[in-house]
Amino acid sequence: MATKTKPDRLYYTGNDEADRLIAKEPFALLIGFALDQQVPVPTAFSGPLKLKQRLGTLDPGKISATDPAKVEAAFREKPAIHRFPGNMARRVQELASIVTHEYGGDAGQLWNDASDSAELHRRLRELPGFGEMTIKSLSAVLAKRFDVEAARELAPNHPTLGDVDSPEALEAYQAHKRAYKAKLKAQRK
């Protein structure tokens, strides 16, 4: 189903250009979610802009066809895009290849052309590094920020990035997440 609304920015980085890019370009949003592991949210979602600046493009076809050493060098350039630049460079290049070959280079087709939540879940699950937590978080963003109907059933009830609609909301989300992790850690002791 087509999206009804589209925000002009997602408040995930504190950098207006990066926040606009991830709202405007579906592949940039996918890259951000692929990178959103073991780094702070602003670091993960700043990655697409850094990659675009270093490679000169975020076109999935061009990235998938780029020499892997060049993609990895872009990830390793200081400041590194991710704390695991080699693994994440490979993951993003694989993601670009899937978007190119399965979705005609249009990452938005992943969700806009999904017939229902089961199909969307299957499509997202096939992406490199997209486990259940990432799928739920991305689905919340798609449902709450982009009005993607197929994502609604997949979005969890607890606070997610889908609830972030301002810099203050990002701070509140991150504080909630830190408190939740601290609570889990205390329960394990």
Side-chain angles (χ1 to χ4, degrees), residues 81-103:
I81 290 176
H82 195 277
R83 68 186 279 196
F84 302 112
N87 286 339
M88 290 301 167
R90 284 187 293 280
R91 180 173 290 170
V92 167
Q93 196 161 28
E94 184 181 347
L95 182 64
S97 181
I98 290 169
V99 168
T100 299
H101 296 103
E102 300 293 322
Y103 302 100

Side-chain angles (χ1 to χ4, degrees), residues 146-189:
F146 294 93
D147 232 2
V148 175
E149 190 61 39
R152 292 197 191 290
E153 272 185 52
L154 303 175
N157 294 326
H158 60 77
T160 66
L161 283 173
D163 300 302
V164 173
D165 59 1
S166 68
E168 297 78 22
L170 178 62
E171 284 182 35
Y173 166 75
Q174 290 179 306
H176 180 271
K177 192 173 173 181
R178 280 190 299 274
Y180 178 73
K181 285 183 177 183
K183 179 180 169 185
L184 288 179
K185 189 175 179 181
Q187 288 173 348
R188 281 182 254 162
K189 288 184 177 181

Side-chain angles (χ1 to χ4, degrees), residues 64-75:
S64 70
T66 299
D67 177 352
K70 184 175 179 181
V71 176
E72 185 171 334
F75 268 79

Side-chain angles (χ1 to χ4, degrees), residues 113-171:
D113 294 347
S115 59
D116 58 23
S117 60
E119 183 179 2
L120 178 59
H121 185 273
R122 180 191 56 75
R123 288 174 172 203
L124 294 175
R125 188 73 186 111
E126 292 172 349
L127 300 177
F130 278 63
E132 284 307 308
M133 197 162 80
T134 302
I135 291 169
K136 288 178 180 178
S137 187
L138 173 55
S139 294
V141 171
L142 293 174
K144 295 176 181 181
R145 298 285 146 234
F146 294 93
D147 232 2
V148 175
E149 190 61 39
R152 292 197 191 290
E153 272 185 52
L154 303 175
N157 294 326
H158 60 77
T160 66
L161 283 173
D163 300 302
V164 173
D165 59 1
S166 68
E168 297 78 22
L170 178 62
E171 284 182 35

